[in-house]
Amino acid sequence: MRLTNLLRATVSGAVVGACAFGLAGTAVAQSAQDGPATIDDIIVTAQKREQSLQDVPIVVTSLSGEMLDDAGVRDIKDLQIVTPGLVVTSNSSEAATTARIRGVGTVGDNPGLESSVGVVIDGVYRSRNSVGFGDLGELSRIEVLKGPQGTLFGKNTSAGVINIITEAPSFTPGYNAELTFGNYGAMGVTGSVTGPLTDQLAFRLYAGRRVRNGFYDVDTGDGPRTETDDNNQDFWTTRGQLLWMPNDNTSIRVIADYSRRDEYCCTGVQVRTGPTYPFIDLLSNGAGQRPPAAGFGILPYSRQAYANRSSDQEIEDKGVSVEANIDLPSLFGGAQLTSITALRRWTSSNGQESDYTGADLVYRINDGNFGYGVDNFSQELRLAGRTDRLDWLVGVFATTEGIERGDTFYLGADYSPMLSLLISSQLNAANATIPVSPTTIGCYTRTGQTAQAFGACLASGGTGTGPFGPGGSIVTNPAFAATGPGFTVGQTFEDDYSQDSTSFAVFTNNTWHVTDAFDLTLGLRYTMDEKSVDGTQRNTNGNGNTCNAALANAAAIGAVLGANTSAILGRFCLPWTNSAFQNRTIDESFDDGELSGTIKASYRFNPAVMAYVSYARGYKSFGYNLDRVQTGITPVSSLFFPSEVVDSYEAGVKMTLLDRTLLLNASYFDQRFTDFQLNTFLGTSFVVESIPELNSRGVDADFLWFTPVEGLSLQGGMTFIDAQYGEFTAADMANPGNFPQLSLLPGNRASFAPEVSGTASINFDRSVGNGMRAGFSLAAKYTSEYNTGSDLLPFKMQDAYTVLNGRISLGSEDERWTGEFWVQNLTDEEYYQVVYNGFIQGNAFASTVQPDGTFYNPAADTLTYNAFLAHPRTYGVTLRVRY
């Protein structure tokens, strides 16, 4: 029986979903020549067993391989077009890809921070969202589960799960190939072959290669960067599988995969250029960045970037997994044992243009010292069975993970002049006798500086030339010159972090069929986590000497600058130049246990209508900031942040109407996150700060209609979200000193949480005679306005937008060949992925509380804001052949 079922599953990919394009909530399997499909064909594994979508008391978006092809989905970022309530973004590297569901997710590139949205590929949990950014190969389906899923999918699924199921080997011989050409020089080729090796052993081999030019034009400014475009694509992937079925009760699937990316990503563009523009202009060859708009307002949308340093990245992902399923007909009246064993390694090595200007301020080079690697071993065992009244499942899960992170930082030749210009302009605003100058750093760091000499040095702009002679005559006094040390040009630090973690969990999920219409489900999971981090923070090339020299002159500086002294000295001792990090060691460990689970009740009023209510508790593990973190100029004593917990309540209805060809589903959800792990930029570094409370509540709704017109289907989905932070003060935070940069959060809507997002699509595919098929599809997603910044600064708002994808196809009726013309982002909608602060280019938050109780005054915001942009309109042709 197992062989029959599996054979049916492995050939279904060639015939699924010809009518069911894109549903946020549905996909379907049917023969291309059959009549309209029914909703009953939609099968999901959201509860680790095959069930009809309409019988599962969970909000699930199940998307077939055919539908994903029609929507142009190659990776989890493309998945947004067919999933309301899902937002996926990347920032400074594709290694920092983040998924959010219902306004909740993890942002940033701190590898010590695990995901709120879990990514599972063929039963194997991937601890970072970025592993799903790449060609996912031949897909059977993708299931997006909304809300906490910790009972069956484990920790770090507090917001939801993206469950990816690839095509398995088939005992029916077949092959397919795909060739794509598009604008921006896009080219892609993929192919696969499957079939039997023996009557018990089948294989599948897939390989793909994709290249594309970048979406940005880059002004290289001071150099030495030579690439004049950015955000290109250049990767290849391969995936081999074996399926062994020694008898009717046993199947063993072995998967080995390897992917590699060698690309340039990602530069940003200015969306608002602030008052520091003249300094960048002065220090750069050419403008150095986009000139400011009138009144320092928002700039017109542009793909013109400025970067003098390279943004090259190398990402490698590889692993092997073994899944065994064994039917045990004599155990408990019939049970199935499932074992999934996996070993994976993921690494990234990056270069970074850190200031996104043509000036040579700060950067990182791709020498293997900036990036991180994740090694993971996992083992899951499940035993499941059913009786007339009980579906039961018990299991254990164990994993070990090692993270190695290297971090390094470089100062360019323009860093000292830039900092001098920033500080002297601030002083000039209060005292016009102090000129704006690029050469005053040595005034602060000169050995044995006196108040008189320091004041004269500032007044001369660091030259030592001024009215210092008899009768106020202009003379040059070497004692008043800025002869102290400037900042190191070149590498300033090289840090290493090693985090080891082990996790063990026991879980159970059981459904009691109280009556033929009424079900109760109880799931429990107890997780035990242990993590330790070791690290060394090392300054290089004498870095820290400038900080020490300025601190040694604190008395003389304070005598002249008074209340400004502390803030200005802090600029000499930022994390990348702070002497306090010299040869600093890190050694921390922590262990904890957490109980999570769910209880659900569902009632089927009749074959067409089922209603349910549920409660779920999710858990996201504690961790460590693998970065330089300081309060003032003092490194924090601990890099630890606590676990995140969510309590979720949901009530929904699922309806199957019109002779089971129309699906109408809706649910209300209310989720409360405690100690929400927010990764935010505090002006000098990214830090995970626990926010006491985040509430996300709203409505999910979707529909699918297989119309009476042959080959025509319609679908849509809508998510309404009210995601807000609770009220809190500095006293409620683990580090109260971080509150000023987070003072806009209390009581306000969370970032990346649009109030409304909706999808709609139409798909038509049918025979047109003479052995030919033709079809078209259109998919659209509307997203209302939202803030893209974790600090909620107003300049980081993204206006509402709509993205439209489409394709037209023509091919043989037996699908031996198909040609397609496709367009992604048909209307060339212009929108941002993430808006972020320009490096040392102005300030947004004040040092004192403003009248509204926050630390933000819009009139005093001098910050330059940059953005990572979404993809422009792309189009091309694809030819597919299959047998």
Side-chain angles (χ1 to χ4, degrees), residues 411-481:
L411 301 185
D414 293 332
Y415 181 81
S416 285
M418 181 65 179
L419 196 61
S420 175
L421 289 164
L422 291 170
I423 296 173
S424 61
S425 66
Q426 178 185 344
L427 298 176
N428 174 264
N431 182 356
T433 65
I434 298 177
V436 179
S437 170
T439 57
T440 63
I441 295 300
C443 298
Y444 298 84
T445 61
R446 179 169 176 158
T447 301
Q449 186 68 286
T450 65
Q452 178 191 12
F454 175 67
C457 186
L458 289 183
S460 70
T463 64
T465 299
F468 309 134
S473 59
I474 303 298
V475 298
T476 298
N477 186 337
F480 297 162

Side-chain angles (χ1 to χ4, degrees), residues 612-681:
Y612 66 92
V613 294
S614 69
Y615 163 78
R617 183 174 178 84
Y619 161 65
K620 183 168 178 241
S621 179
F622 58 87
Y624 298 95
N625 282 294
L626 304 185
D627 205 346
R628 292 189 168 202
V629 184
Q630 62 186 51
T631 301
I633 62 171
T634 303
V636 297
S637 59
S638 173
L639 301 179
F640 177 82
F641 54 84
S643 300
E644 172 184 302
V645 176
V646 57
D647 293 288
S648 175
Y649 301 87
E650 196 164 304
V653 60
K654 295 191 172 186
M655 295 181 288
T656 312
L657 308 173
L658 298 184
D659 197 24
R660 312 194 71 77
T661 63
L662 175 65
L663 174 150
L664 293 173
N665 291 345
S667 67
Y668 171 80
F669 60 89
D670 191 331
Q671 304 175 147
R672 181 177 182 269
F673 292 80
T674 304
D675 288 330
F676 176 69
Q677 296 170 359
L678 179 74
N679 194 38
T680 188
F681 186 67

